[in-house]
Amino acid sequence: MKPPVPPPAVASRLANVVSSPVRDILSLTARPEVISFAGGLPAPELFDIDGFKAAFDRVLADSPRRALQYSTTEGDADLREAIAQRLTARALPTDSDDLVITTGSQQALTLITATALEPGDVVLVEDPCYLAALQTFGFAGAHVVPVPTDDDGIIPEALDEIAAREPAKLLYLVPTFQNPTGRTLPAARRTAVAEAAARHGFWIVEDDPYGELRYDGEQVPWIAASPAASDRTILLGSFSKIMAPGLRLGYLRAPAAIRRSCVIAKQAADLHTSTVDQAVAARYLRDSDLDAHIRTISDAYRERRDALLGGLPTALPFGSRWNHPAGGMFVWVTLPEGHDATELLQVAVSHEVAYVPGAPFFAGTPDPAALRLSFTTHSPEEIGEGLRRLAKTFA
């Protein structure tokens, strides 16, 4: 009898896509005794559990059959209207028909990639870049080209020079409290990015999962609000950081042509996002004060950020550098020359503390001395203890 023929190999497009180092580190540090600065996770003790329980109860009492049924691909009409009102109130005039509800903003990015890119198309990214975006573009077979950054984010002159020689289809960036660096792109640079897109003819994907978590300073206008790029900017938003990530609710705001294509791609992916979760979010936005909740979590996160920044001088080796983010979840650290954050991670974990090495975030030449610290998950007291453990890594 002939031996069975082995099953086919997985698709070749997976060859250049690797597992997320952040997810791998989260598995490594799942032990409760480890104080982890690795994950960009909201603080679970700050979830508005009572508010969500009430919203679930009202939805299941008032419209259970609708909430548990199939729904439209574009998303719950009440939820889209509530999001449109929130965006309009923040100086980005938006109609509910401009929006598509997605299963987290990560799906929104996947839909945009599926509809805008062919294998081999050029995608420009800020360097360093959000890891899951690099995975998404790699899975699509895109040619990812890094654009240099400094302490204020992407450098417009570098973007213009690269876009002049690379036929880019798309620029992806997180301009406000960026992951992994926590940097915020100033208003003048946002205008320059918008003008570069108009000049060179590429889409802008403006990912904004952290923008409402501001602790200092004033709001900076979205790139999507710039007249130069209003016809080519796709804004991605999420409720994961300001409500709860378990809802898996995000959205995209996009010009009509690409938005319609995203709806078709979403139909092929999942038909629609969870009906009941959308209904609950819409009910929560109607009955609860989300802005007050954001102020509550922002006050807590500001205290945690300050605890981390206050302890870094004694936790890190002399010559280390770090930024002071005005919001978001992350602090970006560069150790002195000769230090390798990836190699040192195992030492840190042996002291029951963890961080994310910076090297995987780079689409270009990685900086081995860079690392990312997240401050949102732990209390100031736990952060202090974590930093005392981190100091032993460099002793």
Side-chain angles (χ1 to χ4, degrees), residues 5-329:
V5 177
V10 297
S12 60
R13 63 177 173 268
L14 283 168
N16 296 320
V17 182
V18 298
S19 177
S20 167
V22 177
R23 294 286 165 182
D24 294 341
I25 290 168
L26 289 178
S27 299
L28 178 70
T29 61
R31 305 192 316 272
E33 64 270 19
V34 174
I35 295 177
S36 178
F37 299 119
L41 307 178
E45 71 275 13
L46 298 177
F47 294 157
D48 183 7
I49 295 172
D50 290 340
F52 280 114
K53 184 179 183 302
F56 270 103
D57 288 345
R58 289 296 301 272
V59 165
L60 293 177
D62 295 349
S63 54
R65 292 173 178 82
R66 182 179 70 86
L68 298 174
Q69 184 57 278
Y70 285 110
S71 185
T72 60
T73 303
E74 291 84 353
D76 182 281
D78 291 340
L79 181 56
R80 286 188 290 129
E81 179 59 33
I83 294 169
Q85 290 176 6
R86 290 183 63 80
L87 294 177
T88 300
R90 294 177 65 199
L92 184 62
T94 302
D95 186 82
S96 62
D97 288 340
D98 297 330
L99 301 165
V100 178
I101 304 300
T102 58
T103 306
S105 61
Q106 184 63 35
Q107 187 192 44
L109 179 58
T110 301
L111 297 176
I112 292 297
T113 301
T115 55
L117 299 179
E118 302 283 357
D121 280 346
V122 173
V123 174
L124 306 179
V125 300
E126 52 196 346
D127 204 30
C129 178
Y130 172 49
L131 263 176
L134 296 178
Q135 283 185 306
T136 301
F137 300 140
F139 189 74
H143 175 46
V144 176
V145 177
V147 180
T149 61
D150 60 17
D151 290 343
D152 284 328
I154 201 166
I155 301 171
E157 294 79 9
L159 172 63
D160 207 44
E161 187 273 327
I162 292 171
R165 57 179 166 81
E166 297 279 2
K169 275 280 194 76
L170 184 150
L171 166 68
Y172 171 82
L173 73 171
V174 184
T176 306
F177 315 137
Q178 193 240 12
N179 182 358
T181 65
R183 298 165 178 164
T184 294
L185 196 68
R189 289 198 181 189
R190 295 179 187 225
T191 300
V193 166
E195 292 171 349
R199 191 160 46 248
H200 298 289
F202 53 78
W203 290 104
I204 299 171
V205 177
E206 180 178 14
D207 200 353
D208 187 37
Y210 312 104
E212 294 191 77
L213 298 178
R214 175 171 287 281
Y215 319 134
D216 305 313
E218 299 297 323
Q219 176 185 324
V220 185
W222 279 296
I223 298 172
S226 172
S230 60
D231 66 338
R232 66 193 64 234
T233 302
I234 303 151
L235 178 69
L236 311 186
S238 173
F239 287 114
S240 291
K241 308 303 186 295
I242 58 174
M243 280 189 179
L247 291 171
R248 302 309 302 133
L249 288 176
Y251 57 88
L252 63 85
R253 176 192 184 275
I258 197 166
R259 187 177 68 250
R260 286 193 293 268
S261 297
C262 287
V263 170
I264 295 170
K266 183 169 170 60
Q267 289 169 357
D270 66 358
L271 301 184
H272 63 83
T273 295
S274 166
T275 310
V276 66
D277 287 341
Q278 291 186 72
V280 165
R283 188 81 216 190
Y284 183 88
L285 288 168
R286 187 182 314 148
D287 294 348
S288 299
D289 189 341
L290 178 59
D291 291 330
H293 178 65
I294 292 171
R295 288 193 294 271
T296 296
I297 59 177
S298 293
D299 288 345
Y301 290 166
R302 181 187 300 108
E303 185 180 12
R304 296 174 187 202
R305 178 204 61 181
D306 293 347
L308 180 67
L309 292 173
L312 288 180
T314 56
L316 298 177
F318 179 78
S320 297
R321 294 178 289 111
W322 56 89
N323 61 340
H324 189 292
M329 293 185 161

